[in-house]
């Protein structure tokens, strides 16, 4: 056992003394040490209940003969961090979390790990750590939040964000908004809908690193507690069999996860996180991998914010991620021979899976859209790529030419949007919000939700070198690379320029003469940002969005 180096032999008597200070018995010290990595805290709704999940995991570990030892990691609630300087810290926290886990695990020689995440950056960070460390591990998330209900209809956090825009145009009163905000988020769990946190929890299951049900069992169900106990027991089986994360998260497994991503209509943030996770396993994924799969896999699930269904109520009831993958076997896009944390192959797991609602998980021939949820655009405005959640774009916005309205920060754009300064046919460009330029690549949910809430999503597009919440819908194109801070074309756009968007053809072009662009490029200078602390280090170390915004080697 790895832990023997910290507890076995005469020379380790001081180490054992410290372990006994924890209250551990000789019998417990002799057993495998299982790290229980818990992101519980009292500021994130998705994490408020994770102590109970951790207790269930530890029960499972003990049942199977291990000694669980819990330690914490930080977390950030993107919803609370949204639309102020706090959002700059969200993406950098991913690297911080992965690094902190590595520090604790290597210092204390754990034999196996159970990861308990539940929100946007925490899930990919824990997967990154699992693949970097490559000791037997399993992920069990805290699960999705139930949708709220208001006057007989389902509502969620995005309903509130869009409600702000409705108030601005007189489509909702402030009193109605207050009633909505009181019931949209009814309790613990990842915010209801196929937003980034739920997207990553679902893809963890599709990747094979979470047990069946990891992505969709509601946070408040007793079944989630039983799943956590089984995760604790299962990690001991993985340890006994010598099955490690890189045995599970192979190139084929990542392609399976991308296929599920396309069928589900996941957040565009998966295009940042999945390649960063794969890199830790020595696997190179790029934007073309997503686009190629998107052309092969249709969009089968129409989930909030783009559609009417929710994770906890609808996708869970319809059979969950296993049912989606069972459906995809008919396309020939999955490698079902891959190993999973069940200790069985994907093919063996899917034998008992089945679709229980053909509207929530549609048959291939009756897909919501013929192509997958995410598309990669390239062109003169984004030669290295940009990302759009095409399953959330209205048909009339799939091909559009518009007039650029240019802003150098999210705050500047939001002020004009909220003041009614954006007109039909405008293309809002928000730049200097990329990984380096932001720094931190902020999400633009306030801006996109205001556009949707004001009824402009049929007529206005938004382009940024920043990114979008999984809760975004509309013609919102992010990750524009190279970013403005690196002198990308998005830095050269001027007010009144014409921009062409053609999502079916995968094009994003700035319709400005090349000679004019050369003149603008020669006159361009990057903004001088006075950075300190974490953001200064992050800006100096991060790669571009098309590389997953991970740290340089």
């Amino acid at each position: 056992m790895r832990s023997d180096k910290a507890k076995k032999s005469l020379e380790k008597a001081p180490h054992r003394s410290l372990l006994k200070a924890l209250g551990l018995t000789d019998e417990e010290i002799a057993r495998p040490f299982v790290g229980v990595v818990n992101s519980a805290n009292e500021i994130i709704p998705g994490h408020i209940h994770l102590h109970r999940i951790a207790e269930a995991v530890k029960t499972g570990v003990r049942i199977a003969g291990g000694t669980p030892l819990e330690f914490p990691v930080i977390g950030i609630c993107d919803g609370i961090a949204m639309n102020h300087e706090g959002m700059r810290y969200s993406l950098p926290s991913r690297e911080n979390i992965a690094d902190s886990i590595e520090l604790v695990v290597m210092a204390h020689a754990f034999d196996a790990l159970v990861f308990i995440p539940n929100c946007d950056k925490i899930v990919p960070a824990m997967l990154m750590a699992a693949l970097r460390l490559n000791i037997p591990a399993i992920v069990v998330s805290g699960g999705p939040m139930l949708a709220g209900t208001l006057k007989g209809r389902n509502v969620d956090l995005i309903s509130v964000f869009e409600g702000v825009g409705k108030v601005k145009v007189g489509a909702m009163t402030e009193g109605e908004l207050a009633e909505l905000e009181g019931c949209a988020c009814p309790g613990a769990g990842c915010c209801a809908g196929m937003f980034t946190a739920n997207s990553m929890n679902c893809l963890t299951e599709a990747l094979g690193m979470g047990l069946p049900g990891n992505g969709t069992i509601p946070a408040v169900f007793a079944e989630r507690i039983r799943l956590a106990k089984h995760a604790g027991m299962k990690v001991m089986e993985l340890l006994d069999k010598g099955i490690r994360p890189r045995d599970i998260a192979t190139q084929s497994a990542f392609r399976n996860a991308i296929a599920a991503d396309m069928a589900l209509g996941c957040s565009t943030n998966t295009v940042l996180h999945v390649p960063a996770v794969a890199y830790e396993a020595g696997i190179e994924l790029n934007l073309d991998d997503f686009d190629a799969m998107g052309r092969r896999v249709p969009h089968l699930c129409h989930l909030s914010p783009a559609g009417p269904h929710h994770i906890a109520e609808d996708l869970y009831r319809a059979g969950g991620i296993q049912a989606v993958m069972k459906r995809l076997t008919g396309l020939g896009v999955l490698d079902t021979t891959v190993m999973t944390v069940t200790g069985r192959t994907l093919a063996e797991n899917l034998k008992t899976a089945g679709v229980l609602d053909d509207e929530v998980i549609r048959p291939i021939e009756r897909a919501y859209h013929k192509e997958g949820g995410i598309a990669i655009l390239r062109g003169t405005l984004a030669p290295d790529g940009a990302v759009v959640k095409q399953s959330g774009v209205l048909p009339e916005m799939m091909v559009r030419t518009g007039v650029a309205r240019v802003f150098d920060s999210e705050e500047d754009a939001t002020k004009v949007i909220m003041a009614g300064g954006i007109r039909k046919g405008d293309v809002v460009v928000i730049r200097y919000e990329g990984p380096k330029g932001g720094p931190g690549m902020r999400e633009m949910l306030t801006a996109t939700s205001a556009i949707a809430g004001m009824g402009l999503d049929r007529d206005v597009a938004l382009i940024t070198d920043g990114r979008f919440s999984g809760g975004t819908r509309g013609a919102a194109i992010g990750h524009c690379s190279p970013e403005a801070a690196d002198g990308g074309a998005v830095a050269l756009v001027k007010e009144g320029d014409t921009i062409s968007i053609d999502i079916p053809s995968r094009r994003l072009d700035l319709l400005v003469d090349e000679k004019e662009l050369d003149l603008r490029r020669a006159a361009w200078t990057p903004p001088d940002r006075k950075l300190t602390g974490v953001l200064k280090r992050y800006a100096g170390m991060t790669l571009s969005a098309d590389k997953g915004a991970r740290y340089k080697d």
Side-chain angles (χ1 to χ4, degrees), residues 15-86:
H15 304 60
R16 292 191 295 273
S17 181
L18 289 168
L19 293 169
K20 288 179 178 180
L22 304 175
L24 296 181
T25 65
D26 287 329
E27 291 81 4
E28 289 172 302
I29 293 171
R31 295 170 186 159
F33 284 179
V34 178
V36 178
V37 191
N38 189 2
S39 58
N41 58 66
E42 294 183 350
I43 187 61
I44 306 177
H47 295 212
I48 193 69
H49 64 307
L50 293 189
H51 286 305
R52 190 176 178 207
I53 300 289
E55 288 305 314
V57 166
K58 289 187 282 187
T59 296
V61 170
R62 293 188 184 103
I63 288 170
T67 296
L69 297 164
E70 181 181 346
F71 64 91
V73 294
I74 65 165
I76 288 175
C77 177
D78 282 18
I80 297 174
M82 199 72 66
N83 195 231
H84 59 90
E85 67 276 5

Side-chain angles (χ1 to χ4, degrees), residues 37-163:
V37 191
N38 189 2
S39 58
N41 58 66
E42 294 183 350
I43 187 61
I44 306 177
H47 295 212
I48 193 69
H49 64 307
L50 293 189
H51 286 305
R52 190 176 178 207
I53 300 289
E55 288 305 314
V57 166
K58 289 187 282 187
T59 296
V61 170
R62 293 188 184 103
I63 288 170
T67 296
L69 297 164
E70 181 181 346
F71 64 91
V73 294
I74 65 165
I76 288 175
C77 177
D78 282 18
I80 297 174
M82 199 72 66
N83 195 231
H84 59 90
E85 67 276 5
M87 180 49 73
R88 301 195 191 284
Y89 292 84
S90 178
L91 188 56
S93 75
R94 186 186 71 182
E95 320 308 308
N96 179 289
I97 293 165
D99 289 350
S100 68
I101 293 168
E102 179 187 0
L103 291 170
V104 175
V105 171
M106 295 306 295
H108 299 98
F110 286 103
D111 297 298
L113 297 167
V114 180
F115 294 97
I116 308 174
N118 214 35
C119 281
D120 295 37
K121 308 310 160 303
I122 299 93
V123 184
M126 288 191 178
L127 286 170
M128 289 167 68
L131 289 166
R132 185 186 302 176
L133 294 163
N134 200 35
I135 64 176
I138 191 168
V139 178
V140 56
S141 77
M145 183 186 293
L146 296 173
T149 57
L150 178 63
K151 298 176 181 176
R153 64 184 180 93
N154 282 344
V155 293
D156 55 40
L157 180 65
I158 304 309
S159 308
V160 187
F161 270 99
E162 293 186 1

Side-chain angles (χ1 to χ4, degrees), residues 11-12 50 60 164 221 343 400 433 459:
E11 292 79 11
K12 299 303 187 294
L50 293 189
V164 175
F221 279 21
R400 179 59 61 109
E433 291 286 6
D459 301 285

